């Protein structure tokens, strides 16, 4: 029996596995017809507790283009979650119908929690403000296509570094490549959270915190713009204080290298002026398209050699029990009270926040 693999964090992939996924994505792009029946009969479930366009539809398209089928919900109010069903029960049930589960949640650590109870692979499609590993796959695959590498790059990351899960995943992944230099462009309130900054330091990453795009744009190989995450602020007033601070314009771009790649996980709101879309350095629509091919490769890998009705006991190697439950109010453990307290290296195993005391 195959060991059950999940994709909860990009960092769980080995270099060899990541290279192999990129090669597979390239092959799919070149010969899509060869893959049209690759997962005939397989079912992918998308459990989306938060809105999505790209991630949900690209996963659904990916499975359909592999010959499989899709089930799921995009509004938890239309599922039994609205009647109070736990994440654990939802995952156990859906895992008995589907061959792979893709989950997005507003709660940090929800995908990891789901993996504790799922009999099939779980893919993290974004958990609160924690991680978004398949966006990171799309981002790194795009860098490979644009630069032929993911190392020795000067990367500016701009906007909501506090709540932006795509930023947290991306920085964690790129900090493991040699020679990368990071410019973290944010307001004081939306700086990278302490638990992420500590990871960068532990990895020995070279990074600078700056307040404006202008300070570093001339240096950059990559500018990763992000949206201010309105839905994560405590009040509309707090959001309004941060909204509109960073706008990438053609005028600012006039100081950038010709070889700059502008990325954005999308959706964008007002942080990129419309005229920038026509600049050849804008790669964000290609980046979203790349996400389809890399997600097809991911589905193929996670469901490799698994037959319908082959279910596995929920996962194996999990971190040690913690003495204290996590204090992060947005952690899934704060909502789903039956979850065991688990820790790894002084951090909550669900959301990676540092466990104090
Ligand atoms: N990048 C991203 O996660 O987009 P969606 O929210 O539309 O899925």
């Amino acid at each position: 029996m195959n060991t059950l693999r999940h994709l909860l964090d990009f960092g769980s992939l080995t270099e060899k596995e990541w290279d192999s996924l990129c090669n597979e994505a390239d092959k799919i792009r070149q010969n899509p017809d060869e893959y049209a029946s690759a997962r005939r009969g397989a079912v992918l479930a998308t459990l989306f507790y938060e809105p999505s366009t790209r991630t949900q539809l690209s996963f659904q398209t990916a499975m359909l283009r592999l010959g499989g089928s899709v089930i799921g919900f995009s509004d938890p109010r239309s599922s039994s979650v609205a009647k109070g069903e736990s994440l654990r029960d939802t995952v156990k049930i859906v895992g008995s119908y589907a061959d792979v589960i893709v989950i997005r949640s507003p709660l940090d650590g929800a995908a990891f929690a789901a993996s504790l109870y799922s009999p099939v692979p779980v893919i993290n499609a974004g958990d609160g403000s924690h991680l978004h590993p398949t966006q990171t796959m799309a981002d790194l695959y795009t860098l490979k296509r644009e630069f032929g590498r993911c190392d020795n790059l000067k990367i500016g990351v701009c906007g909501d570094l506090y709540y932006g899960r795509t930023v947290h995943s991306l920085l964690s992944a790129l900090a493991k490549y040699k020679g990368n230099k990071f410019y973290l462009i944010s307001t004081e309130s939306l700086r990278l959270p302490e638990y992420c900054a500590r990871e960068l330091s532990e990895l020995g990453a070279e990074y600078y915190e700056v307040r404006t795009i202008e300070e570093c744009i001339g240096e950059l190989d990559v500018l990763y713009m992000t949206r201010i995450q309105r839905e994560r602020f405590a009040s509309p007033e707090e959001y309004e204080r941060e909204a509109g601070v960073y706008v990438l314009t053609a005028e600012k771009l006039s100081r950038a290298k010709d070889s700059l790649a502008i990325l954005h996980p999308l959706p964008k709101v007002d942080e990129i002026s419309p005229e920038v879309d026509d600049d050849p350095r804008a790669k964000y629509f290609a980046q979203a398209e790349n996400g389809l091919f890399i997600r097809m490769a991911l589905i193929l890998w996670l469901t490799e050699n698994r037959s319908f009705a082959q279910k596995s006991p929920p996962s194996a190697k999990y971190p040690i029990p913690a003495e204290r439950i996590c204090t992060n109010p947005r952690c899934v453990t704060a909502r789903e009270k039956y979850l065991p307290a688990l820790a790894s290296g002084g951090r909550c195993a669900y959301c990676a926040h540092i466990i104090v005391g």
Side-chain angles (χ1 to χ4, degrees), residues 272-330:
I272 296 184
S273 290
E275 74 269 14
V276 174
D277 288 358
D278 298 324
D279 190 298
R281 292 170 288 187
K283 304 294 180 189
Y284 30 87
F285 293 117
Q287 179 187 0
E289 188 183 9
N290 290 338
L292 170 65
F293 296 108
I294 202 72
R295 288 181 175 114
M296 287 176 80
L298 177 65
I299 292 170
L300 280 174
W301 177 58
L302 288 179
T303 58
E304 200 170 34
N305 301 326
R306 294 178 64 81
S307 61
F308 169 65
Q310 180 197 350
K311 307 293 172 187
S312 302
S315 272
K317 301 184 295 194
Y318 276 123
I320 52 168
E323 285 176 18
R324 287 182 178 75
I325 202 84
C326 183
T327 53
N328 169 15
R330 294 183 303 276

Side-chain angles (χ1 to χ4, degrees), residues 48 50-58 104 125-126 132 134-135 139 165-166 224 227 231 264-267 287-288 295:
F48 274 56
E50 266 193 346
S52 167
T53 297
R54 273 146 296 277
T55 313
Q56 186 175 30
L57 297 185
S58 64
R104 168 171 289 189
H132 193 345
T134 69
Q135 180 62 50
D139 301 342
R165 58 192 172 204
T166 64
Y224 194 91
R227 169 181 74 91
E231 65 277 25
H264 192 309
L266 305 179
Q287 179 187 0
R295 288 181 175 114

Side-chain angles (χ1 to χ4, degrees), residues 79-116:
S79 77
S80 284
V81 174
K83 301 175 202 161
E85 185 165 66
S86 68
L87 177 65
R88 171 177 57 186
D89 285 359
T90 302
V91 163
K92 281 185 180 179
I93 298 302
V94 176
S96 72
Y97 302 153
D99 301 286
V100 56
I101 293 175
V102 181
I103 183 166
R104 168 171 289 189
S105 167
L107 300 172
D108 300 357
F112 175 80
S115 75
L116 296 178

